[in-house]
Amino acid sequence: MCSMELLHPRVESIYRDHHAWLQAWLLRRLYNRNDAEDLAHDTFERLFTRQDVTAVREPRAMLTTIAKGIVVNFLRRGALEATYYELLMQLPQDYALSPEEQALVLEDLVEVDRRLSGLPSLVRQAFLLAQLDGMRQAEIAAELNLSRATVQRYIAQGLHACCFEWTEA
């Protein structure tokens, strides 16, 4: 955090009164003190940059709500990273990526995952069946009990979310 004397008194009060509690709350969920400290910092940063702190009536409830979202994203990213590195280990040496390339690909995967997670479940499922499983639209329609036109629309929505919005971000 920045110097406390520069902060609004309400911000200072919320931080002082609830920081240790939030770190303990996060530690019980993550079992790692460093991660709990990092996510507590991220939670307060999000609270102080996105909320009118003077209007917060129940700081712990607000902090818990923010922290839950941060924890979900943190765990999701961890699972994605673990899967990604497992797959990298299976690649033949001729296809090995440099550490810089690995980091860039991982960041892209995290961004695609974030974008896909914002789609409705059936849209995401239809898109992934087409892109990852190579299923044809008619097969996806039968699998998901949808019309072929709906499958086409869902795939287009997935493409739009993953590709066309990329330059807008």
Side-chain angles (χ1 to χ4, degrees), residues 1 3 11 23 29 32 60 62 65 72 79 84 87 93 100 123-124 128 132 138 153 161 163:
M1 294 286 319
S3 175
V11 170
Q23 258 188 269
R29 280 146 186 82
N32 181 303
R60 286 193 179 181
M62 180 67 73
T65 299
V72 166
Y84 173 62
L87 291 172
Q93 190 62 31
E100 294 82 12
V123 173
R124 183 175 53 251
L128 291 174
L132 299 181
R153 192 171 61 252
C163 301

Side-chain angles (χ1 to χ4, degrees), residues 47-113:
L47 173 67
F48 296 154
T49 58
R50 295 192 181 169
Q51 300 291 323
D52 175 10
V53 180
T54 60
V56 174
R57 301 272 182 254
E58 297 291 333
R60 286 193 179 181
M62 180 67 73
L63 289 166
T64 301
T65 299
I66 295 168
K68 283 179 181 177
I70 290 173
V71 167
V72 166
N73 290 339
F74 175 79
L75 295 175
R76 182 184 194 114
R77 182 184 173 115
L80 185 63
E81 283 182 28
T83 302
Y84 173 62
Y85 288 123
E86 274 181 39
L87 291 172
L88 283 179
M89 298 302 291
Q90 297 173 12
L91 285 176
Q93 190 62 31
D94 294 346
Y95 296 102
L97 301 174
S98 71
E100 294 82 12
E101 291 170 322
Q102 289 178 19
L104 290 172
V105 170
L106 181 59
E107 287 305 311
D108 285 347
L109 283 173
V110 168
E111 180 64 16
V112 168
D113 180 64

Side-chain angles (χ1 to χ4, degrees), residues 87 103 139 148:
L87 291 172
E139 296 170 323
R148 191 160 181 243

